[in-house]
Amino acid sequence: MRAKTPKSGNFVFLERVPYIWKELSFLQKATLRNVFRYKLRLTMTIIGVMGCMGLLVLGFGIKDSLDGVSELQYSKYTKFNATIIYNPMALDKDLDKFNEEIKSNQDIKESFDIATTTVNIKAEKSFDEKITVFTTDTINEFSKYFGLYDGEKKLETLEDGIYINRKLAEKFSLSVGDTITFINNNKEYKGAIAGIFENHVGNFFVMNEKTYEQTFFKKPVKNTKLLLLNDGSKGNVDKVIHELEKNSVAVKGISIHSMKKAIDDASYSVNSIILLIVICSAFLSIVVLYNLSNINISERKREIATLKVLGFYPREIDKYIYKETVILTMMGITLGIFVGHSLHIKEQLAMDSIRFFNKVKLISYIYSALITLFFTFIVYFVVKIMLKKVPMIESLKDIE
């Protein structure tokens, strides 16, 4: 019937370093021993804070990963303003009239004819994105409309084989020399990977005409015009597309702004995602820290009351009790940095159409740590009230 015997204090690793241990005050030594005295409480506090920190790093990391993606994609890689898919089987006179209409259009700076088709990857991993296939032998001309880079090195020639964007290579763990399988018009095809190029929005294959013939067993037919306009504003691009679509040869026009919308929408929704993550992190951190602090005070009422009887000031008792939580919080924040970074890497593979930058800015780690500490100090003020309510008479109560 007797109360459970309190756990005895443990030796801590700092005691084996006399130079440091001797410099610590009595309360500092007691705090360190209490931190490692209750292993379950220590573990739960660290896991709770680590989860909070990890979620915050993930949220801010998403924002960092998207910052600058659109600007880079549409200045260095995707340079054309619009594409016009047309019917290559139309009458020659109609095709000539269509080409003349484009040449005479004052809004169109340059145009480039290219063969395009779409395929789907066949793989064990789910991947529903359609992949656009560009086929050309004139890479120098094509580069004016679509920049091909391997890292910072610009691709000057197209060797035999299929060139894929880096997102596809990362998604399916592919490298140069591997074979990729894909579906076109319900038929299965295979091809060897000749190179990997940088791209952040959309997925593409690029190949020369010889590779196209060897892969699809037919000659490529040019069916798409890439357009560079003098004025690339949304209103002007839409106007040019609307004018060209009136021609019977034109099948469909696609504005680059509609392609940009995907990443712009993602960027716009990031702030909402971060707010949601901050709220979830707040609940996780506050609930865990409050409950564990409550248990801690309940189990140590006699000790706290005794400190009051001995003449400790309320501020000293607050520091003595809550300093343990602050130490565990700092340990959780440190581990949360690695958890958040790991979650950030996995999150990058989640979106099939966008390749994020693999980066989390230093300021994002700082913001995450400060927000986690803020939640910790919210709980501190609640604990402060709870400690005030512990009466000194508790120290005189018999444990019977």
Side-chain angles (χ1 to χ4, degrees), residues 45 48-49 52 278-294 322 325 371-380 382-383:
T45 304
V49 175
C52 172
V278 169
I279 293 171
C280 292
S281 302
F283 276 112
L284 173 64
S285 179
I286 291 173
V287 169
V288 170
L289 291 176
Y290 172 78
N291 283 308
L292 292 175
S293 296
N294 193 23
Y322 208 68
T325 302
I371 292 171
T372 304
L373 286 172
F374 174 71
F375 296 151
T376 304
F377 283 107
I378 288 176
V379 178
Y380 165 74
V382 177
V383 171

Side-chain angles (χ1 to χ4, degrees), residues 283-339:
F283 276 112
L284 173 64
S285 179
I286 291 173
V287 169
V288 170
L289 291 176
Y290 172 78
N291 283 308
L292 292 175
S293 296
N294 193 23
I295 293 169
N296 187 27
I297 292 171
S298 298
E299 291 179 350
R300 297 168 66 182
K301 274 187 177 180
R302 283 171 57 84
E303 178 188 346
I304 295 165
T306 302
L307 291 174
K308 287 186 176 184
V309 170
L310 291 173
F312 278 69
Y313 290 106
R315 192 173 179 182
E316 291 176 315
I317 295 173
D318 294 344
K319 285 175 64 178
Y320 173 66
I321 297 298
Y322 208 68
K323 195 184 290 182
E324 301 164 18
T325 302
V326 172
I327 292 171
L328 294 176
T329 298
M330 298 307 295
M331 294 168 67
I333 286 173
T334 303
L335 293 174
I337 291 172
F338 299 101
V339 171

Side-chain angles (χ1 to χ4, degrees), residues 213-319:
E213 289 185 53
Q214 292 175 340
T215 303
F216 294 99
F217 309 108
K218 60 183 179 182
K219 289 189 175 183
V221 178
K222 293 178 180 178
N223 61 348
T224 302
K225 286 184 179 290
L226 306 181
L227 304 181
L228 283 178
L229 305 186
N230 293 313
D231 176 9
S233 64
K234 185 179 185 303
N236 190 58
V237 173
D238 290 342
K239 184 192 81 170
V240 171
I241 289 174
H242 181 69
E243 289 174 354
L244 294 176
E245 282 183 332
K246 292 178 181 178
N247 193 300
S248 60
V249 174
V251 176
K252 183 182 180 182
I254 303 172
S255 169
I256 200 65
H257 293 282
S258 64
M259 297 166 68
K260 287 177 69 176
K261 191 175 184 299
I263 193 165
D264 290 340
D265 288 346
S267 298
Y268 182 76
S269 63
V270 161
N271 290 333
S272 300
I273 293 171
I274 291 176
L275 178 62
L276 179 63
I277 288 175
V278 169
I279 293 171
C280 292
S281 302
F283 276 112
L284 173 64
S285 179
I286 291 173
V287 169
V288 170
L289 291 176
Y290 172 78
N291 283 308
L292 292 175
S293 296
N294 193 23
I295 293 169
N296 187 27
I297 292 171
S298 298
E299 291 179 350
R300 297 168 66 182
K301 274 187 177 180
R302 283 171 57 84
E303 178 188 346
I304 295 165
T306 302
L307 291 174
K308 287 186 176 184
V309 170
L310 291 173
F312 278 69
Y313 290 106
R315 192 173 179 182
E316 291 176 315
I317 295 173
D318 294 344
K319 285 175 64 178

Side-chain angles (χ1 to χ4, degrees), residues 183-199:
I183 307 294
N184 176 258
N185 292 329
N186 297 319
K187 293 181 181 179
E188 184 177 308
Y189 301 93
K190 293 183 179 181
I193 297 172
I196 298 169
F197 60 90
E198 309 300 326
N199 193 69

